Amino acid sequence: MTIDRRSLLRTSGVAAAGALGAAALSSTARAAGFTAPAHGPHSTGSGPTDGVTRTLLQEHPSPAEGWETVQTLVQIPRHKESGRHSHPGVEVGYIVRGDVLMKFDDRPSIRLRTGDPFFIPSGTIHNAVNVGKVTTMMLSTYVVDEDESLVTTY
């Protein structure tokens, strides 16, 4: 199956809704709460993470044995947050749209705006809070231990 990744980003993942079904998600991504776009919000109710979606774009074995590379599109509605979490490897990201306050347990928070890259070291507990006026879109690529869950929540 071929998916035009540029179209996917331009349409906030909606164009791929039919092409990326739940079967396309790895067990690692499913265990981490990632959904295909057609499956909607990551959580329900009226909490701070309501409406946050994490869409798996691609997943591949890393050149380093025992590691995998996972790329996602994270969308955080206005006044919502990703929730405190960490990853068993590095996260390299880019703010496609919006404004985020990236909070850390072990260092000062940083403000990220459209066009800003970011890097989060392995095991670092963090929380992305949408402080802007639009739904934030973040492109995140992880290089993680293939035997561990992609996300650990706190």
Side-chain angles (χ1 to χ4, degrees), residues 13-147:
V14 176
L20 283 176
L25 298 177
S26 72
S27 58
T28 302
R30 280 192 298 271
F34 285 78
T35 61
H39 293 272
H42 175 63
S43 62
T44 59
S46 60
T49 61
D50 292 344
V52 174
T53 58
R54 294 174 172 92
T55 304
L56 179 68
L57 299 178
Q58 58 182 326
E59 182 176 34
H60 301 281
S62 172
E65 187 174 331
W67 293 82
E68 68 180 339
T69 304
V70 179
Q71 189 171 57
T72 65
L73 180 65
V74 180
Q75 295 187 74
I76 305 173
R78 287 180 61 202
H79 310 299
K80 298 296 181 176
E81 59 189 61
S82 66
R84 290 176 63 245
H85 65 283
S86 66
H87 309 283
V90 299
E91 176 180 359
V92 180
Y94 178 79
I95 306 299
V96 177
R97 177 181 71 202
D99 295 290
V100 168
L101 183 63
M102 191 70 72
K103 296 181 176 182
F104 300 96
D105 280 12
D106 64 347
R107 66 193 73 187
S109 299
I110 57 172
R111 176 79 181 251
L112 300 166
R113 294 175 172 83
T114 300
D116 286 343
F118 61 93
F119 178 86
I120 300 175
S122 179
T124 300
I125 299 173
H126 58 287
N127 183 15
V129 180
N130 183 338
V131 293
K133 297 180 181 182
V134 299
T135 295
T136 293
M137 292 175 60
M138 301 186 307
L139 183 63
S140 289
T141 303
Y142 312 89
V143 180
V144 293
D145 184 324
E146 68 184 7
D147 294 328

